PDB file of all heavy atoms in Angstrom:
ATOM      1  N   GLN M 536      67.877  10.795  18.592  1.00 89.00           N
ATOM      2  CA  GLN M 536      67.177   9.630  19.086  1.00 89.00           C
ATOM      3  C   GLN M 536      67.947   9.082  20.276  1.00 89.00           C
ATOM      4  O   GLN M 536      69.168   8.959  20.234  1.00 89.00           O
ATOM      5  CB  GLN M 536      67.175   8.591  17.971  1.00 89.00           C
ATOM      6  CG  GLN M 536      65.931   7.836  17.861  1.00 89.00           C
ATOM      7  CD  GLN M 536      66.067   6.725  16.838  1.00 89.00           C
ATOM      8  OE1 GLN M 536      67.105   6.529  16.241  1.00 89.00           O
ATOM      9  NE2 GLN M 536      65.016   6.004  16.662  1.00 89.00           N
ATOM     10  N   GLY M 537      67.241   8.735  21.318  1.00 88.00           N
ATOM     11  CA  GLY M 537      67.920   8.134  22.462  1.00 88.00           C
ATOM     12  C   GLY M 537      66.870   7.560  23.383  1.00 88.00           C
ATOM     13  O   GLY M 537      65.840   8.189  23.648  1.00 88.00           O
ATOM     14  N   ASP M 538      67.125   6.368  23.858  1.00 83.00           N
ATOM     15  CA  ASP M 538      66.175   5.684  24.721  1.00 83.00           C
ATOM     16  C   ASP M 538      65.870   6.529  25.961  1.00 83.00           C
ATOM     17  O   ASP M 538      66.603   7.453  26.286  1.00 83.00           O
ATOM     18  CB  ASP M 538      66.794   4.335  25.141  1.00 83.00           C
ATOM     19  CG  ASP M 538      65.726   3.329  25.510  1.00 83.00           C
ATOM     20  OD1 ASP M 538      64.552   3.715  25.645  1.00 83.00           O
ATOM     21  OD2 ASP M 538      66.071   2.141  25.655  1.00 83.00           O
ATOM     22  N   VAL M 539      64.795   6.164  26.624  1.00 79.00           N
ATOM     23  CA  VAL M 539      64.448   6.813  27.884  1.00 79.00           C
ATOM     24  C   VAL M 539      65.665   6.758  28.804  1.00 79.00           C
ATOM     25  O   VAL M 539      66.255   5.691  28.979  1.00 79.00           O
ATOM     26  CB  VAL M 539      63.305   6.042  28.574  1.00 79.00           C
ATOM     27  CG1 VAL M 539      62.748   6.842  29.731  1.00 79.00           C
ATOM     28  CG2 VAL M 539      62.242   5.696  27.586  1.00 79.00           C
ATOM     29  N   GLY M 540      66.020   7.894  29.383  1.00 81.00           N
ATOM     30  CA  GLY M 540      67.129   7.909  30.329  1.00 81.00           C
ATOM     31  C   GLY M 540      68.499   7.946  29.681  1.00 81.00           C
ATOM     32  O   GLY M 540      69.522   7.862  30.361  1.00 81.00           O
ATOM     33  N   ALA M 541      68.541   8.075  28.357  1.00 89.00           N
ATOM     34  CA  ALA M 541      69.829   8.075  27.665  1.00 89.00           C
ATOM     35  C   ALA M 541      70.599   9.363  27.913  1.00 89.00           C
ATOM     36  O   ALA M 541      71.802   9.430  27.666  1.00 89.00           O
ATOM     37  CB  ALA M 541      69.622   7.875  26.164  1.00 89.00           C
ATOM     38  N   GLY M 542      69.898  10.378  28.401  1.00 92.00           N
ATOM     39  CA  GLY M 542      70.574  11.642  28.683  1.00 92.00           C
ATOM     40  C   GLY M 542      70.516  12.614  27.519  1.00 92.00           C
ATOM     41  O   GLY M 542      71.519  13.204  27.133  1.00 92.00           O
ATOM     42  N   LYS M 543      69.311  12.829  26.999  1.00 94.00           N
ATOM     43  CA  LYS M 543      69.159  13.758  25.886  1.00 94.00           C
ATOM     44  C   LYS M 543      69.130  15.211  26.374  1.00 94.00           C
ATOM     45  O   LYS M 543      69.519  16.117  25.649  1.00 94.00           O
ATOM     46  CB  LYS M 543      67.863  13.446  25.121  1.00 94.00           C
ATOM     47  CG  LYS M 543      67.870  12.080  24.458  1.00 94.00           C
ATOM     48  CD  LYS M 543      66.618  11.832  23.630  1.00 94.00           C
ATOM     49  CE  LYS M 543      65.365  11.640  24.462  1.00 94.00           C
ATOM     50  NZ  LYS M 543      65.399  10.440  25.327  1.00 94.00           N
ATOM     51  N   THR M 544      68.657  15.392  27.627  1.00 94.00           N
ATOM     52  CA  THR M 544      68.456  16.761  28.098  1.00 94.00           C
ATOM     53  C   THR M 544      69.764  17.548  28.135  1.00 94.00           C
ATOM     54  O   THR M 544      69.807  18.715  27.732  1.00 94.00           O
ATOM     55  CB  THR M 544      67.817  16.750  29.495  1.00 94.00           C
ATOM     56  OG1 THR M 544      66.812  15.737  29.523  1.00 94.00           O
ATOM     57  CG2 THR M 544      67.191  18.079  29.809  1.00 94.00           C
ATOM     58  N   VAL M 545      70.815  16.906  28.591  1.00 97.00           N
ATOM     59  CA  VAL M 545      72.067  17.643  28.696  1.00 97.00           C
ATOM     60  C   VAL M 545      72.599  17.983  27.303  1.00 97.00           C
ATOM     61  O   VAL M 545      73.186  19.039  27.083  1.00 97.00           O
ATOM     62  CB  VAL M 545      73.095  16.855  29.559  1.00 97.00           C
ATOM     63  CG1 VAL M 545      73.583  15.604  28.867  1.00 97.00           C
ATOM     64  CG2 VAL M 545      74.273  17.743  29.921  1.00 97.00           C
ATOM     65  N   VAL M 546      72.333  17.129  26.356  1.00 98.00           N
ATOM     66  CA  VAL M 546      72.718  17.402  24.968  1.00 98.00           C
ATOM     67  C   VAL M 546      71.965  18.630  24.457  1.00 98.00           C
ATOM     68  O   VAL M 546      72.544  19.537  23.835  1.00 98.00           O
ATOM     69  CB  VAL M 546      72.430  16.174  24.069  1.00 98.00           C
ATOM     70  CG1 VAL M 546      72.656  16.507  22.601  1.00 98.00           C
ATOM     71  CG2 VAL M 546      73.290  14.991  24.495  1.00 98.00           C
TER      72      VAL M 546
END
Side-chain angles (χ1 to χ4, degrees):
Q536 219 186 1
D538 205 349
V539 191
K543 296 184 289 296
T544 319
V545 69
V546 173

